[in-house]
Amino acid sequence: MALANKSWTAAIVFLSRSSSSFIQGSRPQRSFSTKLFGTASASPKRTIMTATASSSLPPIPRREEDRVVYAGVAPDGWDPKMPRQSNDSTEKLMDPSVPIPDPYGWLRDDKRESKEMLEYLKAENEYSQSVTKHLSGLKDTLYQEFLSSIQETDYSTPRPRGDYWYYTRTFKGSSYQTYCRAPKTTDVCAIDWDGTKESTILPGEEVYLDVNELAKEKSYCSVGGVKASPSKKLIAYIVDYSGDEKYEMHVKNLETGEDVALKEVGSDQLLEVDGLVWGKDDETLYYMTMDEQHRPFRLFQRKDWKNENPTDTLLKEDLDDLFWCGVNKSLDDKYIFFESESKETSEVWYLATDEEDTVSEMKCVAPRRNKVLYEVEHGHGQWFISTNVDKSPNMKLMAAPAIPDSADEWKLVEDASGNPIFDGSLAKSLDSVTVLNTHIVIEGRADGIPRVWIFNIDTKIMKRLEFEESAYDVGLLAHYEADTKSVAVSYDSMLTPPSSIEISLDDDSQRTVLKSKVVPGYNKELFGCDRLEVLSRDGKTQIPISVMYSKETMEKVKAGDQVPVHLYGYGSYSSCCEADFDSTRLPLLQRGMIYVIAHIRGGGEMGRQWYEEPNGGKYLCKKNTFNDFVDVAKFLVDEWTTPEMLSCEGRSAGGLLIGAAINQAPELFKVAILGVPFVDVACTMTDSTIPLTSGEWVEWGNPNELLYHQYMMEYSPMNNVQKGKTYPSCWLTGGLHDPRVAYWEPAKFTATLRHANPENENPICMKLDLSAGHFSASDRYKYYRELAYDYAFLLDQLKLA
């Protein structure tokens, strides 16, 4: 399945990390303290004491010096059902197994109930509050600056679907969005809105789902998807109330307002699902369920969902822990797809919606082949397939008759001259395909920039959409109809706020700006943006960086002054950090900082070769990611700033990046922000009882195997904190219910950083949200409050408060 079309409110999933039971090995002769906090020394002769925020000293959690996690063959007591390596791996497991120190492993509690653990997390929060108590005014100022740069009462661009325009709205003072629709009386979306809460966006506007109502008396609320039924009289949606990404499934009748939470067949237990689509009518739903490791793996068809005893049919499952599964429906509504994909191999099964009443067995588009990825769309009686078959460095576009076992029929899609339009070469990369009645819209990349191409199916002429700025972010907006004469894209850059643009399929010069995001108080003319390249330490790789600054600040640089710089990076999963617009950067820029995005290896900015071995940032070349980031930081120090004025930030796998970078060059940075950081790489990746771990072996490698163990141990942040060094001021964040990067990772790393360098005068602080998951606060106002907290710490440590 291609990535979802770009929308105004999108969440990007960076890192598939999570939590479950942990097997620990301990030397039997040592007994462990049961006190809440210990001293900075590991010596058992020291008195155990509690340090609290009231004394302005950091809490010191007890260390279990003999506690280890074993890498290699299964240790004694290991559950034989839990794998130590993937089924198809030919690599040798380490035998005997090798212990990895895990002195803070006791912080892990899968149920999130341990009093000792919770008291420690609360103490960390109190300490962080103590360190920043003088910043309350700055936090309030930043919060107000964030709010002043958004239009709190706003709407997303309406998109047509059947007889309605669909869109969302936000209202000043309301934390969540509201889903709306209005009758489509013409093909032109004529908006005449006066900007008030009371005024409708379109005539006949109706609210069909108000997330603010769902969130009442809830500390967390995230709606994962809303699907209109074929008749448009119903919607199905999924909602998470804890942040653990376990979703309830509901169906709401839009005529009566009745909202039904679906249950397991023959039980009062609510269904926990991960993804859903409607069938050909309002009676049939398809939904995914997860295994114990939080991995979507089973596709069910539910008939007569309104009945007290509906019929559930298991259509397909994948029991291989490496494969993440999902359900999708073709744009023309003719097929339901079950997609199973690891980071390197994929397989797609299908069921024709016309046959869903009589057929319960899915057919395979093409059986999986090792290290062959493919995604499928349908149109014009054909499969349109993006794939790296035959080991192409990037994905190529192929087509075949819509039949099962079609691999032998795959042919490259060619233009009028007989040339493949996407041949999988290094010239350009292919990300997604949308098949319309007359054209194919293709999203991909060229020269490190997102691109959109339009291919005319009849004339076989392909044209790339062009824009004035040299670096930008562009992508197809949510699109529901194959029968159309135009498409809408979202466009922005670091300087230009987002706009949605309607573009004719036949003549791309015919463009209509449907909506431009209003950023109150923002004057584009006061800022500048550059796209530069930095030579890596290998002497041949050019690392792109995107830079935004106020022109006043850059004039100081040109005059020879050194200025503060904030460096952001990610660099994993082939995910891209785009040169996009973000109004929350403005408070930093307005205080004289330069904002830099490093497009380092491990991401996909320069195509899959930027990610894959032998020269990307994966497996045994993962260190390229960290080296690139440090090389960019050194360039910034040489050109614009000093280590005392340089800060860095990364989130999730980007938190791993920051952890590895400050271990490699702690003297290079003054401040580091590590958001929900994946920093306990070696311990986590040995343990398949932690949800999603086994699926990550084809991203990072498996440290149980001899091939990867030592390499991973050389960069895993938890295992490489240097002693006797001055580390930068660190601000770590986490969520108690995070299923991707468990809360104990930032907690253990915080303690490890302090323990290694107890004389370090730079504060090491952790902010742990006890009511959120991986994506921080679901409440938009709370999110801005939390971000203001983060940036207040950053600015204070840089002496910019």
Side-chain angles (χ1 to χ4, degrees):
M1 179 180 69
L3 290 173
N5 289 331
K6 184 171 181 178
S7 65
W8 290 104
T9 54
I12 299 175
V13 174
F14 289 128
L15 180 61
S16 303
R17 289 258 41 89
S18 194
S19 58
S20 186
S21 59
F22 212 160
I23 298 297
Q24 302 287 356
S26 300
R27 295 188 182 97
Q29 69 270 23
R30 179 72 179 268
S31 61
F32 301 127
S33 166
T34 58
K35 296 288 185 180
L36 176 57
F37 304 124
T39 64
S41 170
S43 171
K45 297 179 181 179
R46 291 287 298 274
T47 301
I48 301 299
M49 63 177 290
T50 299
T52 66
S54 62
S55 63
S56 298
L57 296 174
I60 304 172
R62 60 181 170 87
R63 288 174 61 87
E64 297 180 348
E65 298 294 352
D66 294 346
R67 191 182 187 106
V68 298
V69 171
Y70 284 104
V73 297
D76 291 343
W78 184 261
D79 183 348
K81 296 190 299 246
M82 304 309 298
R84 300 296 286 181
Q85 62 185 156
S86 61
N87 294 332
D88 58 359
S89 176
T90 59
E91 298 299 329
K92 183 179 179 181
L93 287 173
M94 290 185 298
D95 190 3
S97 55
V98 176
I100 302 174
D102 189 26
Y104 299 112
W106 65 269
L107 283 167
R108 175 179 174 178
D109 174 26
D110 301 331
K111 295 182 179 180
R112 276 72 171 168
E113 295 174 351
S114 164
K115 181 179 179 181
E116 181 183 12
M117 175 272 294
L118 291 171
E119 287 298 322
Y120 168 66
L121 297 183
K122 291 175 183 176
E124 284 287 2
N125 284 340
E126 290 168 4
Y127 171 68
S128 296
Q129 291 165 6
S130 175
V131 170
T132 59
K133 63 183 178 182
H134 63 293
L135 299 176
S136 58
L138 179 58
K139 287 190 287 185
D140 289 342
T141 298
L142 288 169
Y143 176 70
Q144 292 302 325
E145 289 179 20
F146 292 149
L147 292 188
S148 70
S149 64
I150 65 170
Q151 188 167 292
E152 293 180 68
T153 299
D154 204 352
Y155 66 95
S156 66
T157 304
R159 301 303 301 142
R161 187 170 194 174
D163 295 331
Y164 292 91
W165 297 101
Y166 286 83
Y167 52 98
T168 61
R169 295 190 65 177
T170 55
F171 299 98
K172 185 175 181 177
S174 296
S175 298
Y176 298 91
Q177 64 185 1
T178 299
Y179 289 81
C180 303
R181 69 179 184 180
K184 189 176 74 170
T185 56
T186 69
D187 289 334
V188 178
C189 183
I191 295 175
D192 183 18
W193 179 54
D194 64 11
T196 65
K197 288 183 177 183
E198 295 75 22
S199 176
T200 60
I201 304 302
L202 290 169
E205 177 179 288
E206 63 175 286
V207 173
Y208 63 89
L209 186 66
D210 186 350
V211 183
N212 295 286
E213 290 296 319
L214 299 181
K216 281 185 176 179
E217 300 182 2
K218 303 285 196 307
S219 60
Y220 186 91
C221 179
S222 176
V223 173
V226 181
K227 308 284 187 180
S229 70
S231 73
K232 309 301 184 290
K233 295 179 180 180
L234 308 169
I235 59 165
Y237 68 93
I238 59 176
V239 60
D240 168 20
Y241 288 121
S242 68
D244 62 3
E245 298 178 49
K246 295 179 180 179
Y247 291 89
E248 300 175 9
M249 183 163 68
H250 291 244
V251 177
K252 182 178 179 181
N253 187 313
L254 301 185
E255 295 179 332
T256 67
E258 181 186 17
D259 190 311
V260 178
L262 300 193
K263 300 177 180 179
E264 295 179 1
V265 174
S267 169
D268 287 332
Q269 181 73 34
L270 292 178
L271 272 176
E272 287 186 355
V273 303
D274 184 275
L276 65 90
V277 297
W278 288 96
K280 69 175 181 179
D281 55 39
D282 288 8
E283 303 300 319
T284 306
L285 283 163
Y286 297 85
Y287 65 89
M288 299 293 304
T289 62
M290 295 179 287
D291 64 13
E292 293 180 357
Q293 306 308 309
H294 211 81
R295 179 184 67 96
F297 78 121
R298 281 181 175 153
L299 173 62
F300 286 91
Q301 178 196 71
R302 173 161 291 194
K303 304 287 287 184
D304 301 322
W305 63 267
K306 290 179 287 188
N307 196 304
E308 288 188 5
N309 296 296
T311 302
D312 272 12
T313 302
L314 175 61
L315 293 180
K316 196 66 189 171
E317 66 179 357
D318 195 325
L319 300 179
D320 191 326
D321 288 345
L322 286 183
F323 288 81
W324 185 280
C325 305
V327 62
N328 188 30
K329 191 178 184 181
S330 60
L331 186 63
D332 61 12
D333 294 330
K334 292 185 177 180
Y335 292 97
I336 303 295
F337 293 117
F338 172 83
E339 299 137 339
S340 182
E341 183 175 86
S342 75
K343 302 293 190 301
E344 297 183 333
T345 304
S346 60
E347 185 176 66
V348 181
W349 294 72
Y350 69 92
L351 177 70
T353 53
D354 284 345
E355 299 177 347
E356 65 185 12
D357 291 332
T358 57
V359 175
S360 60
E361 184 174 335
M362 304 190 85
K363 300 174 183 177
C364 189
V365 173
R368 67 184 59 172
R369 290 166 280 179
N370 190 40
K371 295 195 175 183
V372 173
L373 292 165
Y374 74 94
E375 297 174 350
V376 179
E377 277 293 349
H378 177 265
H380 308 274
Q382 292 185 297
W383 303 135
F384 287 89
I385 303 149
S386 54
T387 178
N388 66 342
V389 68
D390 298 326
K391 300 181 179 180
S392 60
N394 282 307
M395 307 294 270
K396 60 191 72 170
L397 182 59
M398 309 186 83
I403 58 174
D405 300 321
S406 62
D408 292 340
E409 304 291 329
W410 292 4
K411 307 293 182 186
L412 286 165
V413 176
E414 297 178 339
D415 62 18
S417 300
N419 299 313
I421 60 174
F422 279 84
D423 61 3
S425 69
L426 298 177
K428 57 182 184 284
S429 63
L430 168 64
D431 292 333
S432 69
V433 175
T434 301
V435 183
L436 308 174
N437 285 359
T438 58
H439 294 76
I440 300 175
V441 181
I442 303 163
E443 296 174 87
R445 308 185 72 85
D447 305 317
I449 305 296
R451 310 286 186 180
V452 177
W453 292 263
I454 296 176
F455 179 71
N456 187 305
I457 294 173
D458 290 334
T459 66
K460 297 189 175 183
I461 294 174
M462 185 170 75
K463 188 172 183 180
R464 191 175 83 184
L465 300 182
E466 301 294 346
F467 301 90
E468 291 183 2
E469 294 176 289
S470 59
Y472 52 81
D473 185 21
V474 65
L476 194 64
L477 277 175
H479 197 83
Y480 307 112
E481 299 181 330
D483 185 11
T484 182
K485 296 180 180 179
S486 63
V487 293
V489 300
S490 174
Y491 174 90
D492 65 330
S493 73
M494 291 190 85
L495 285 177
T496 305
S499 60
S500 49
I501 308 169
E502 191 88 17
I503 301 176
S504 168
L505 291 170
D506 290 322
D507 180 3
D508 71 273
S509 67
Q510 295 184 24
R511 302 185 180 193
T512 302
V513 177
L514 300 175
K515 185 178 187 297
S516 293
K517 184 177 180 65
V518 176
V519 183
Y522 174 66
N523 184 351
K524 180 179 177 179
E525 300 305 315
L526 298 179
F527 299 90
C529 178
D530 295 317
R531 182 84 160 192
L532 306 174
E533 290 184 333
V534 176
L535 184 64
S536 77
R537 67 188 65 183
D538 65 18
K540 58 184 179 181
T541 303
Q542 294 287 350
I543 309 160
I545 63 173
S546 296
V547 184
M548 187 176 179
Y549 48 85
S550 74
K551 292 179 180 178
E552 181 181 355
T553 299
M554 192 52 70
E555 286 301 317
K556 292 180 180 179
V557 171
K558 292 177 181 178
D561 291 353
Q562 293 169 316
V563 299
V565 176
H566 188 60
L567 176 61
Y568 184 89
Y570 186 70
S572 290
Y573 298 103
S574 76
S575 295
C576 303
C577 287
E578 306 297 3
D580 58 3
F581 186 85
D582 186 346
S583 63
T584 62
R585 296 175 190 146
L586 296 177
L588 302 184
L589 300 174
Q590 290 162 347
R591 287 168 173 80
M593 297 191 74
I594 295 175
Y595 194 99
V596 179
I597 301 173
H599 305 288
I600 51 182
R601 282 177 284 183
E605 288 90 338
M606 305 302 292
R608 288 192 66 84
Q609 70 274 13
W610 204 240
Y611 165 64
E612 299 278 10
E613 290 183 306
N615 299 311
K618 182 183 178 183
Y619 282 148
L620 296 178
C621 55
K622 186 61 198 172
K623 292 179 187 177
N624 286 340
T625 301
F626 319 129
N627 294 344
D628 285 358
F629 192 79
V630 171
D631 290 346
V632 170
K634 290 179 178 178
F635 167 83
L636 297 174
V637 169
D638 289 342
E639 296 293 326
W640 300 332
T641 192
T642 70
E644 283 296 305
M645 304 170 80
L646 179 60
S647 58
C648 59
E649 180 181 6
R651 181 179 171 83
S652 195
L656 159 62
L657 166 69
I658 302 304
I662 63 175
N663 279 342
Q664 183 181 140
E667 73 287 348
L668 199 53
F669 305 96
K670 176 59 179 176
V671 195
I673 296 180
L674 300 89
V676 290
F678 176 40
V679 283
D680 199 14
V681 183
C683 281
T684 297
M685 293 305 300
T686 63
D687 190 352
S688 64
T689 69
I690 297 178
L692 312 180
T693 289
S694 52
E696 297 288 302
W697 286 335
V698 285
E699 172 70 26
W700 311 99
N702 183 350
N704 290 311
E705 297 173 347
L706 187 63
L707 177 65
Y708 297 106
H709 179 81
Q710 185 56 36
Y711 187 84
M712 187 176 291
M713 288 296 294
E714 290 171 3
Y715 73 74
S716 176
M718 197 78 70
N719 310 99
N720 287 280
V721 176
Q722 298 189 59
K723 293 184 178 181
K725 297 286 186 178
T726 299
Y727 269 69
S729 303
C730 291
W731 187 257
L732 297 93
T733 69
L736 182 63
H737 302 288
D738 189 342
R740 298 170 183 268
V741 179
Y743 71 86
W744 56 79
E745 298 219 13
K748 289 162 68 174
F749 196 54
T750 298
T752 300
L753 287 169
R754 291 201 198 113
H755 178 78
N757 294 288
E759 304 304 319
N760 184 15
E761 294 183 354
N762 294 321
I764 309 295
C765 296
M766 180 178 68
K767 181 188 68 175
L768 206 296
D769 193 325
L770 300 178
S771 62
H774 191 65
F775 298 106
S776 186
S778 58
D779 176 325
R780 62 173 177 157
Y781 290 108
K782 183 181 176 183
Y783 169 79
Y784 286 128
R785 285 282 185 196
E786 296 299 324
L787 185 60
Y789 198 178
D790 300 346
Y791 278 4
F793 178 87
L794 172 76
L795 292 170
D796 181 55
Q797 295 301 309
L798 291 173
K799 296 181 171 53
L800 296 174

mmCIF file of all heavy atoms in Angstrom, residues 481-500:
data_model
loop_
_atom_site.group_PDB
_atom_site.id
_atom_site.type_symbol
_atom_site.label_atom_id
_atom_site.label_comp_id
_atom_site.label_asym_id
_atom_site.label_seq_id
_atom_site.Cartn_x
_atom_site.Cartn_y
_atom_site.Cartn_z
ATOM 1 N N GLU A 481 -11.754 10.114 -5.592
ATOM 2 C CA GLU A 481 -12.503 9.813 -6.813
ATOM 3 C C GLU A 481 -11.572 9.623 -7.999
ATOM 4 O O GLU A 481 -10.679 10.446 -8.242
ATOM 5 C CB GLU A 481 -13.498 10.943 -7.105
ATOM 6 C CG GLU A 481 -14.523 11.122 -5.996
ATOM 7 C CD GLU A 481 -15.532 12.229 -6.281
ATOM 8 O OE1 GLU A 481 -15.178 13.205 -6.969
ATOM 9 O OE2 GLU A 481 -16.679 12.114 -5.804
ATOM 10 N N ALA A 482 -11.814 8.543 -8.743
ATOM 11 C CA ALA A 482 -11.012 8.270 -9.933
ATOM 12 C C ALA A 482 -11.483 9.076 -11.135
ATOM 13 O O ALA A 482 -10.700 9.389 -12.030
ATOM 14 C CB ALA A 482 -11.056 6.772 -10.259
ATOM 15 N N ASP A 483 -12.759 9.423 -11.145
ATOM 16 C CA ASP A 483 -13.320 10.175 -12.264
ATOM 17 C C ASP A 483 -13.187 11.667 -11.980
ATOM 18 O O ASP A 483 -14.026 12.275 -11.322
ATOM 19 C CB ASP A 483 -14.794 9.796 -12.460
ATOM 20 C CG ASP A 483 -15.396 10.456 -13.704
ATOM 21 O OD1 ASP A 483 -14.623 11.031 -14.507
ATOM 22 O OD2 ASP A 483 -16.627 10.397 -13.868
ATOM 23 N N THR A 484 -12.105 12.252 -12.428
ATOM 24 C CA THR A 484 -11.831 13.651 -12.130
ATOM 25 C C THR A 484 -11.003 14.279 -13.243
ATOM 26 O O THR A 484 -10.263 13.589 -13.948
ATOM 27 C CB THR A 484 -11.082 13.787 -10.786
ATOM 28 O OG1 THR A 484 -10.881 15.153 -10.499
ATOM 29 C CG2 THR A 484 -9.744 13.071 -10.821
ATOM 30 N N LYS A 485 -11.117 15.589 -13.384
ATOM 31 C CA LYS A 485 -10.339 16.331 -14.376
ATOM 32 C C LYS A 485 -9.194 17.111 -13.735
ATOM 33 O O LYS A 485 -8.414 17.752 -14.447
ATOM 34 C CB LYS A 485 -11.250 17.292 -15.142
ATOM 35 C CG LYS A 485 -12.321 16.589 -15.972
ATOM 36 C CD LYS A 485 -13.196 17.605 -16.711
ATOM 37 C CE LYS A 485 -14.267 16.903 -17.542
ATOM 38 N NZ LYS A 485 -15.147 17.877 -18.247
ATOM 39 N N SER A 486 -9.118 17.052 -12.427
ATOM 40 C CA SER A 486 -8.073 17.795 -11.731
ATOM 41 C C SER A 486 -7.726 17.090 -10.429
ATOM 42 O O SER A 486 -8.475 16.236 -9.948
ATOM 43 C CB SER A 486 -8.532 19.231 -11.442
ATOM 44 O OG SER A 486 -9.657 19.229 -10.584
ATOM 45 N N VAL A 487 -6.597 17.459 -9.879
ATOM 46 C CA VAL A 487 -6.188 16.979 -8.561
ATOM 47 C C VAL A 487 -5.732 18.179 -7.737
ATOM 48 O O VAL A 487 -5.438 19.246 -8.282
ATOM 49 C CB VAL A 487 -5.046 15.943 -8.643
ATOM 50 C CG1 VAL A 487 -5.523 14.662 -9.293
ATOM 51 C CG2 VAL A 487 -3.839 16.511 -9.378
ATOM 52 N N ALA A 488 -5.688 17.996 -6.438
ATOM 53 C CA ALA A 488 -5.216 19.049 -5.552
ATOM 54 C C ALA A 488 -3.952 18.584 -4.843
ATOM 55 O O ALA A 488 -3.858 17.429 -4.413
ATOM 56 C CB ALA A 488 -6.286 19.429 -4.533
ATOM 57 N N VAL A 489 -2.983 19.486 -4.764
ATOM 58 C CA VAL A 489 -1.746 19.193 -4.044
ATOM 59 C C VAL A 489 -1.586 20.178 -2.894
ATOM 60 O O VAL A 489 -2.137 21.290 -2.914
ATOM 61 C CB VAL A 489 -0.504 19.265 -4.960
ATOM 62 C CG1 VAL A 489 -0.612 18.267 -6.099
ATOM 63 C CG2 VAL A 489 -0.278 20.680 -5.484
ATOM 64 N N SER A 490 -0.840 19.753 -1.894
ATOM 65 C CA SER A 490 -0.427 20.644 -0.814
ATOM 66 C C SER A 490 1.005 21.056 -1.092
ATOM 67 O O SER A 490 1.861 20.217 -1.388
ATOM 68 C CB SER A 490 -0.522 19.935 0.537
ATOM 69 O OG SER A 490 0.005 20.755 1.564
ATOM 70 N N TYR A 491 1.263 22.352 -1.012
ATOM 71 C CA TYR A 491 2.592 22.888 -1.311
ATOM 72 C C TYR A 491 3.040 23.803 -0.186
ATOM 73 O O TYR A 491 2.269 24.632 0.305
ATOM 74 C CB TYR A 491 2.576 23.680 -2.621
ATOM 75 C CG TYR A 491 3.883 24.385 -2.909
ATOM 76 C CD1 TYR A 491 4.879 23.749 -3.633
ATOM 77 C CD2 TYR A 491 4.126 25.678 -2.430
ATOM 78 C CE1 TYR A 491 6.102 24.376 -3.871
ATOM 79 C CE2 TYR A 491 5.342 26.304 -2.665
ATOM 80 C CZ TYR A 491 6.324 25.654 -3.388
ATOM 81 O OH TYR A 491 7.531 26.276 -3.618
ATOM 82 N N ASP A 492 4.293 23.661 0.224
ATOM 83 C CA ASP A 492 4.886 24.608 1.157
ATOM 84 C C ASP A 492 6.397 24.516 1.046
ATOM 85 O O ASP A 492 6.951 23.638 0.381
ATOM 86 C CB ASP A 492 4.412 24.365 2.588
ATOM 87 C CG ASP A 492 4.862 23.031 3.160
ATOM 88 O OD1 ASP A 492 5.028 22.073 2.370
ATOM 89 O OD2 ASP A 492 5.034 22.919 4.380
ATOM 90 N N SER A 493 7.077 25.434 1.702
ATOM 91 C CA SER A 493 8.534 25.403 1.803
ATOM 92 C C SER A 493 8.905 25.936 3.176
ATOM 93 O O SER A 493 8.038 26.301 3.974
ATOM 94 C CB SER A 493 9.179 26.256 0.706
ATOM 95 O OG SER A 493 8.994 27.632 0.985
ATOM 96 N N MET A 494 10.181 26.003 3.472
ATOM 97 C CA MET A 494 10.565 26.539 4.766
ATOM 98 C C MET A 494 10.108 27.990 4.923
ATOM 99 O O MET A 494 9.833 28.450 6.038
ATOM 100 C CB MET A 494 12.079 26.442 4.960
ATOM 101 C CG MET A 494 12.580 25.017 5.111
ATOM 102 S SD MET A 494 14.311 24.908 5.626
ATOM 103 C CE MET A 494 14.167 25.045 7.416
ATOM 104 N N LEU A 495 10.006 28.711 3.806
ATOM 105 C CA LEU A 495 9.589 30.112 3.832
ATOM 106 C C LEU A 495 8.103 30.308 3.578
ATOM 107 O O LEU A 495 7.507 31.272 4.052
ATOM 108 C CB LEU A 495 10.362 30.917 2.784
ATOM 109 C CG LEU A 495 11.814 31.259 3.063
ATOM 110 C CD1 LEU A 495 12.410 31.997 1.872
ATOM 111 C CD2 LEU A 495 11.959 32.080 4.325
ATOM 112 N N THR A 496 7.492 29.412 2.823
ATOM 113 C CA THR A 496 6.129 29.603 2.336
ATOM 114 C C THR A 496 5.149 28.722 3.101
ATOM 115 O O THR A 496 5.259 27.497 3.073
ATOM 116 C CB THR A 496 6.047 29.261 0.837
ATOM 117 O OG1 THR A 496 7.014 30.033 0.123
ATOM 118 C CG2 THR A 496 4.665 29.552 0.291
ATOM 119 N N PRO A 497 4.175 29.327 3.783
ATOM 120 C CA PRO A 497 3.167 28.518 4.482
ATOM 121 C C PRO A 497 2.391 27.636 3.516
ATOM 122 O O PRO A 497 2.308 27.915 2.316
ATOM 123 C CB PRO A 497 2.267 29.586 5.126
ATOM 124 C CG PRO A 497 3.118 30.801 5.235
ATOM 125 C CD PRO A 497 4.002 30.770 4.022
ATOM 126 N N PRO A 498 1.791 26.551 4.033
ATOM 127 C CA PRO A 498 1.091 25.606 3.154
ATOM 128 C C PRO A 498 -0.060 26.236 2.387
ATOM 129 O O PRO A 498 -0.785 27.088 2.907
ATOM 130 C CB PRO A 498 0.564 24.548 4.132
ATOM 131 C CG PRO A 498 1.454 24.650 5.325
ATOM 132 C CD PRO A 498 1.814 26.089 5.431
ATOM 133 N N SER A 499 -0.203 25.780 1.163
ATOM 134 C CA SER A 499 -1.365 26.139 0.353
ATOM 135 C C SER A 499 -1.816 24.891 -0.384
ATOM 136 O O SER A 499 -1.022 23.985 -0.650
ATOM 137 C CB SER A 499 -1.034 27.254 -0.640
ATOM 138 O OG SER A 499 -0.002 26.864 -1.524
ATOM 139 N N SER A 500 -3.103 24.830 -0.683
ATOM 140 C CA SER A 500 -3.628 23.736 -1.495
ATOM 141 C C SER A 500 -3.969 24.299 -2.862
ATOM 142 O O SER A 500 -4.611 25.344 -2.986
ATOM 143 C CB SER A 500 -4.854 23.106 -0.834
ATOM 144 O OG SER A 500 -5.782 24.088 -0.440
#
